[in-house]
């Protein structure tokens, strides 16, 4: 009887261990036939409750986006457009300080392909994605989707299941309903921030307000401001009655709005709703806009003028002479063309920023921008007496234009920073970025105080009170940036500056952490680096274990990820406490193994996992496979105390936000070292 009980206990222990391999997403594929040569590959995912999976388009700086790779496309089929996906939710992450795009419960992905090889039997699709709850899991699947015999299959709009081969076991499920869903306001379990449509509306309102301010700034430039009295005077004099003049001026303002909103519609139509956000996070998109904004900034600062061909303006002027509403519409178009040297750079910047909000973003941006320009023309036509209160044109208009040039220059480096973060090249780390912004805003402050002049400036004998106030504000902002070089968080600029971890000195130049972590001047052991909270850390298991044996200390083995939110929470809120920081500094050797490290393994070190049967081609996959093979779990964060020989000293734990509980766990493992 005892033997039977022991066998039963062993059986359930085995089941329990197996259940630790988490696979919260179950997949099913199907095919829709579009034509004799085109089919749609459909990927349906069902996500377990409380888990969420990230979109392909989730912004840089947060969790890792989903990636689709079509491995055997060459010579067999062509991709038509990009992989589209069902609506995602937008949730603010207070850990990464960016909006993240994620799916809960279910998701669908669709890719149209054109079969070029009639003998092609299947489409091999590799999908890599991150799924999180309290732990984060870096997952990948390989699907082998059978293609129909194109000439033999009749066209149908009904999805038919295909035999799907997945490289890890997954239960067959019912295809989830992917009809249009109504988003509700939810709260993310990790961040506590609002979700869904409310957050999206907040983002669009923000872009409208910023665009309106951009339009107001464009209004105060030499290209637009002088046009207000000229245009309003034209309408009031040419109209037979005051009411007609007001009506024509209002239509003129509406025409301005129509022209710029049409530009937003064109941008959205060309790139599409799903592609705009992907474009905004694209490396080449950000580099191109960096160069473009440098070009715009040089123009605003007086190096040259950006003008559209004179022939365009002449043709539009002729149409404006037709009179009536059509003529007024062409007058508005003439204003847009003539003022392009001042409005073009602002419009370009707004379109780039608003594209992050999806297809409707550029439309909302152009609505805000054009409303700010159109409003004065309508108001001054209704109340002509107000024009007496307008300041006269003069050198102050060029001051506004130059000020916009400094802002364009600062924004340019934000786009370059985006590209650098994606590529992880560490060329524009936090200190370098802040140094550039301090130089730009410092030069702007000196300019506003009248200490330097640029090509189109008038001689300055004194500065106005308004200019003085702006100069003081820019100076204060410049001083606000300076402590960021020494570790100040600069919370006002969260999401604009590179994160603290993307830095030459993660805690600022000369900063000493109150957690009593390793001094930044400490000579590092071979293969070690300064890790979270200034701790000495290793990113290779064998190298870290060798050092632990040399100094005769236990190891804290840390399975983590670059895009793991709860890993950062543990480091920032638990590891940073005084008592735990002292333990991590003095009593253990920290080995952090990143499961999402995308660097390729040398060809000779790549292998096929015995535990999962997957190809292990990157450093991250190597450590993830090590975690699965040894501990039968694939979630991060995950912590174990080892002795210098690599043997476990205590029971591993995952996310443990209670500092006292985590401290007790650390001490229980360390106390067994050497016994």
């Amino acid at each position: 009887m005892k033997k039977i009980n022991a066998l039963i206990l062993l059986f359930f222990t085995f089941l329990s261990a197996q259940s630790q391999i988490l696979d919260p997403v179950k997949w099913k594929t199907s095919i829709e036939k579009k034509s004799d040569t085109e089919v749609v590959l459909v990927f349906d995912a069902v996500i377990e409750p409380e888990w969420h999976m990230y979109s392909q388009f989730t912004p840089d700086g947060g969790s890792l986006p989903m990636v689709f790779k079509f491995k055997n496309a060459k010579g067999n089929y062509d991709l038509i457009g990009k992989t589209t996906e069902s609506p995602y939710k937008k949730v603010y992450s207070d850990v990464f300080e960016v909006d993240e795009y994620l799916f809960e419960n279910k998701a669908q992905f669709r890719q149209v392909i054109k079969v070029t090889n009639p003998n092609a039997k299947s489409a091999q699709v590799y999908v890599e994605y991150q799924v999180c709850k309290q732990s984060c899991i870096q997952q990948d699947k390989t699907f082998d989707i059978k293609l129909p015999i194109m000439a033999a299959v009749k066209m149908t709009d009904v999805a038919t299941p295909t035999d799907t081969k997945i490289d890890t076991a997954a239960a067959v499920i019912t295809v989830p309903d992917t009809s249009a869903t109504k988003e509700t306001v939810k709260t993310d379990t990790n961040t506590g921030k609002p979700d869904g449509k409310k957050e999206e509306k907040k983002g669009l309102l923000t872009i409208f307000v910023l665009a309106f301010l951009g339009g107001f700034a464009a209004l105060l430039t030499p290209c637009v401001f002088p046009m207000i009295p000229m245009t309003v005077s034209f309408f009031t004099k040419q109209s037979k009655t005051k009411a007609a003049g007001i009506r024509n001026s209002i239509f003129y303002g509406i025409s301005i709005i129509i022209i710029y909103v049409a530009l937003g519609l064109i941008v959205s139509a060309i790139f599409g709703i799903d592609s705009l956000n992907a474009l905004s996070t694209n490396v080449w998109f950000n580099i191109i806009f960096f160069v473009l904004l440098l070009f715009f900034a040089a123009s605003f600062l007086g190096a040259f003028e950006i003008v559209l061909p004179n022939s365009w303006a002449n043709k539009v002027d002729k149409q404006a002479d037709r009179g009536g509403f059509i003529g007024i519409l062409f007058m508005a178009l003439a204003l847009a063309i003539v003022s392009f040297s001042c409005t073009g750079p602002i419009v370009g910047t707004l379109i780039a920023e608003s594209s992050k909000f999806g297809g409707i973003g550029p439309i909302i941006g152009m609505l805000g921008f054009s409303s700010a320009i159109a409003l004065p023309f309508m108001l001054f036509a209704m109340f002509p007496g107000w024009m007496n209160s307008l300041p006269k044109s003069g050198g102050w208009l060029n001051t506004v234009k130059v000020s916009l040039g400094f802002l364009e220059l600062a924004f340019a480096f934000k786009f370059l920073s985006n590209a650098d973060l994606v590529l992880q090249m560490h060329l524009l780390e936090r200190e370098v970025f802040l140094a550039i912004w301090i130089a730009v805003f410092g030069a702007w402050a000196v300019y506003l105080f009248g200490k330097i002049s640029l090509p189109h400036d008038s001689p300055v004998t004194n500065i106005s009170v308004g200019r003085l106030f702006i100069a003081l504000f820019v100076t204060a902002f410049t001083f606000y940036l300076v402590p960021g070089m020494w570790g100040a968080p600069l919370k006002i600029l969260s999401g604009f500056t590179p994160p603290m971890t993307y830095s030459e000195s993660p805690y600022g130049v000369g900063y000493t952490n109150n957690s009593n972590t390793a001094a930044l001047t400490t000579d590092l052991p071979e293969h070690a680096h300064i890790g979270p909270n200034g701790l000495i850390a290793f990113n290779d298991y064998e190298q870290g274990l060798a050092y632990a044996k040399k100094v005769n200390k236990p190891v804290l083995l840390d399975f983590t990820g670059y895009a793991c939110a709860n890993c950062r929470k543990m480091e920032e809120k638990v590891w940073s406490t005084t008592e735990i920081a002292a333990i991590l500094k003095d009593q253990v050797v920290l080995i952090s193994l990143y499961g999402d490290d995308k660097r390729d393994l040398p060809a000779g070190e790549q292998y096929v996992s015995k535990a999962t049967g997957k190809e292990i081609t990157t450093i991250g996959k190597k450590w993830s496979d090590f975690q699965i093979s040894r501990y039968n779990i694939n979630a991060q964060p995950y912590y174990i105390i080892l002795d210098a020989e690599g043997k476990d000293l205590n029971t591993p734990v995952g996310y443990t936000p209670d500092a006292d509980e985590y401290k007790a766990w650390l001490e229980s493992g360390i106390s067994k070292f050497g016994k």
Side-chain angles (χ1 to χ4, degrees):
M1 190 66 185
K2 289 182 179 180
K3 291 182 178 180
I4 294 174
N5 290 336
L7 287 172
I8 293 173
L9 179 61
L10 181 64
F11 175 73
F12 281 106
T13 301
F14 174 78
L15 289 182
S16 176
Q18 291 300 313
S19 67
Q20 293 183 77
I21 298 294
L22 301 176
D23 190 8
V25 183
K26 306 303 179 186
W27 293 86
K28 188 175 181 180
T29 61
S30 59
I31 281 187
E32 295 178 6
K33 189 82 179 296
K34 287 193 69 175
S35 68
D36 289 341
T37 58
E38 292 184 1
V39 296
V40 183
L41 306 181
V42 183
F43 305 83
D44 286 298
V46 170
I47 308 164
E48 291 183 5
E50 299 183 6
W51 289 84
H52 52 267
M53 178 172 64
Y54 293 96
S55 162
Q56 304 168 86
F57 310 123
T58 194
D60 302 323
S63 299
L64 296 180
M66 177 176 291
V67 176
F68 282 84
K69 294 180 181 179
F70 297 83
K71 300 177 72 172
N72 66 331
K74 188 175 181 180
N76 292 315
Y77 54 88
D78 296 329
L79 305 182
I80 308 299
K82 295 185 177 181
T83 305
T84 60
E85 55 186 42
S86 54
Y88 50 69
K89 297 180 183 296
K90 185 185 294 184
V91 178
Y92 180 78
S93 169
D94 54 4
V95 175
F96 295 116
E97 297 180 339
V98 296
D99 286 329
E100 294 185 319
Y101 305 157
L102 53 88
F103 302 101
E104 295 175 340
N105 301 320
K106 61 184 178 181
Q108 185 181 80
F109 307 89
R110 301 168 67 87
Q111 175 65 59
V112 180
I113 64 170
K114 181 177 182 180
V115 180
T116 56
N117 178 11
N119 296 320
K121 296 182 179 180
S122 67
Q124 296 173 5
V125 186
Y126 173 79
V127 185
E128 191 172 27
Y129 57 95
Q130 190 173 70
V131 57
C132 295
K133 188 170 62 173
Q134 285 188 334
S135 301
C136 288
I137 304 170
Q138 190 67 21
Q139 292 280 68
D140 60 271
K141 305 282 186 184
T142 300
F143 301 96
D144 192 4
I145 306 173
K146 289 185 178 179
L147 295 175
I149 300 173
M150 303 308 292
V153 179
K154 297 180 180 179
M155 283 186 62
T156 177
D157 291 329
V158 180
T160 56
T162 62
D163 294 332
T164 302
K165 181 181 179 181
I166 303 177
D167 59 350
T168 57
V172 177
I173 57 164
T174 305
V175 177
D177 179 16
T178 54
S179 58
T181 58
K182 295 182 180 179
E183 281 191 309
T184 57
V185 178
K186 292 191 176 182
T187 301
D188 181 62
T189 56
N190 289 334
T191 66
K193 296 287 181 179
D195 193 326
K197 283 189 175 180
K198 184 177 286 188
E199 191 71 13
E200 182 178 357
K201 288 178 181 178
K202 180 181 176 182
L204 292 175
L205 178 62
T206 300
I207 201 67
F208 178 86
V209 172
L210 292 176
F212 187 89
L213 293 175
F216 184 73
L219 186 69
L220 300 178
T221 59
C223 314
V224 182
F225 187 81
M227 299 292 291
I228 297 174
M230 292 171 54
T231 305
V232 172
S233 176
F234 171 81
F235 283 128
T236 54
K237 289 180 180 179
Q238 296 297 320
S239 303
K240 295 180 180 180
T241 64
K242 181 179 179 180
I246 293 174
R247 183 179 65 249
N248 291 338
S249 294
I250 291 174
F251 186 75
Y252 180 72
I254 293 173
S255 298
I256 293 172
I257 294 174
I258 290 172
I259 289 167
Y260 282 104
V261 170
L263 176 62
L265 283 167
I266 290 170
V267 170
S268 297
I270 291 174
F271 294 106
I273 292 175
D274 292 320
S275 301
L276 270 171
N277 181 71
L279 185 66
S280 70
T281 57
N282 181 272
V283 171
W284 286 110
F285 173 89
N286 282 283
I287 291 175
I288 289 170
F289 259 90
F290 164 70
V291 175
L292 198 59
L293 262 63
L294 284 182
F295 181 75
F296 289 158
S299 173
F300 272 156
L301 293 172
F304 47 81
E305 292 289 333
I306 303 173
V307 292
L308 294 176
N310 289 331
S311 58
W312 292 17
N314 294 334
K315 290 179 181 179
V316 171
D317 279 339
K318 290 180 181 179
Q319 295 296 324
D321 293 335
R322 293 171 58 179
F325 287 146
I326 298 297
I328 294 173
L329 181 63
F330 276 98
M331 282 184 65
L333 183 58
L335 171 69
I337 293 173
V338 171
S339 64
F340 183 80
S341 63
C342 294
T343 60
I346 301 174
V347 168
T349 306
L350 284 173
I351 286 178
E353 281 298 313
S354 60
S355 66
K356 297 177 182 178
F357 292 85
I360 198 173
I363 300 170
I364 297 297
M366 290 300 96
L367 179 62
F369 177 83
S370 57
S371 297
I373 293 181
L375 197 58
F377 289 97
M378 294 187 284
L379 290 176
F380 284 113
M382 294 178 184
F383 308 101
W386 287 8
M387 284 203 296
N388 295 327
S389 62
L390 279 178
K392 295 181 180 180
S393 299
W396 68 273
L397 289 174
N398 191 66
T399 301
V400 173
K401 187 176 179 181
V402 169
S403 295
L404 291 174
F406 281 110
L407 284 173
E408 291 277 351
L409 190 57
F411 275 111
F413 284 95
K414 171 56 182 168
F415 283 96
L416 185 62
S417 174
N418 290 343
D420 185 54
L421 282 167
V422 172
L423 295 173
Q424 288 287 298
M425 295 182 68
H426 291 268
L427 299 177
L428 198 62
E429 292 180 318
R430 185 179 175 87
E431 293 91 345
V432 178
F433 182 90
L434 287 175
I436 292 171
W437 268 38
I438 290 168
V440 170
F441 283 97
W444 185 13
V446 172
Y447 169 80
L448 290 172
F449 279 118
K451 299 302 181 182
I452 58 175
S453 60
L454 291 168
H456 298 299
D457 283 322
S458 303
V460 178
T461 56
N462 55 65
I463 61 174
S464 65
V465 174
R467 180 167 175 170
L468 175 63
F469 281 162
I470 296 172
L472 291 173
F473 175 80
V474 175
T475 303
F477 181 74
T478 305
F479 282 124
Y480 172 77
L481 293 174
V482 173
M485 301 287 290
W486 279 265
L490 304 181
K491 292 183 180 180
I492 294 176
L493 296 174
S494 291
F496 254 90
T497 60
M500 287 291 298
T501 53
Y502 198 73
S503 170
E504 292 180 9
S505 302
Y507 294 93
V509 179
Y511 178 78
T512 302
N513 191 353
N514 61 8
S515 60
N516 195 31
T517 52
L520 300 181
T521 56
T522 301
D523 291 332
L524 291 174
E526 187 180 6
H527 306 302
H529 68 282
I530 298 296
N533 302 328
L535 294 167
I536 294 175
F538 292 84
N539 288 154
D540 183 273
Y541 178 73
E542 296 295 340
Q543 292 168 354
L545 202 63
Y547 179 74
K549 189 179 296 185
K550 177 180 178 182
V551 298
N552 194 33
K553 286 184 180 181
V555 167
L556 172 59
L557 187 58
D558 166 32
F559 288 102
T560 183
Y562 292 114
C564 170
N566 281 333
C567 302
R568 302 294 84 77
K569 286 183 180 180
M570 287 293 294
E571 293 161 5
E572 294 170 8
K573 298 180 180 180
V574 179
W575 286 15
S576 61
T577 59
T578 304
E579 292 182 340
I580 292 177
I583 293 173
L584 298 182
K585 174 196 171 186
D586 298 324
Q587 300 183 38
V588 298
V589 173
L590 175 62
I591 302 177
S592 296
L593 305 180
Y594 288 81
D596 54 4
D597 191 329
K598 299 296 184 183
R599 291 175 296 167
D600 289 332
L601 282 169
E605 296 181 19
Q606 296 181 11
Y607 63 97
V608 176
S609 168
K610 294 180 180 179
T612 64
K614 297 180 181 180
E615 294 182 8
I616 307 302
T617 57
T618 67
I619 293 174
K621 288 183 179 181
K622 174 184 175 181
W623 300 134
S624 182
D625 182 57
F626 174 57
Q627 182 185 8
I628 292 171
S629 301
R630 179 161 174 168
Y631 298 105
N632 212 32
I633 193 168
N634 57 345
Q636 295 89 36
Y638 198 65
Y639 308 105
I640 311 99
I641 300 292
L642 311 176
D643 65 15
E645 301 297 328
K647 296 178 181 178
D648 297 359
L649 295 178
N650 62 354
T651 304
V653 297
Y655 179 60
T656 311
D658 186 288
D660 291 335
E661 181 183 346
Y662 191 76
K663 178 175 175 287
W665 174 83
L666 279 174
E667 291 174 338
S668 71
I670 295 171
S671 65
K672 297 175 183 176
F673 180 69
K675 292 183 178 179

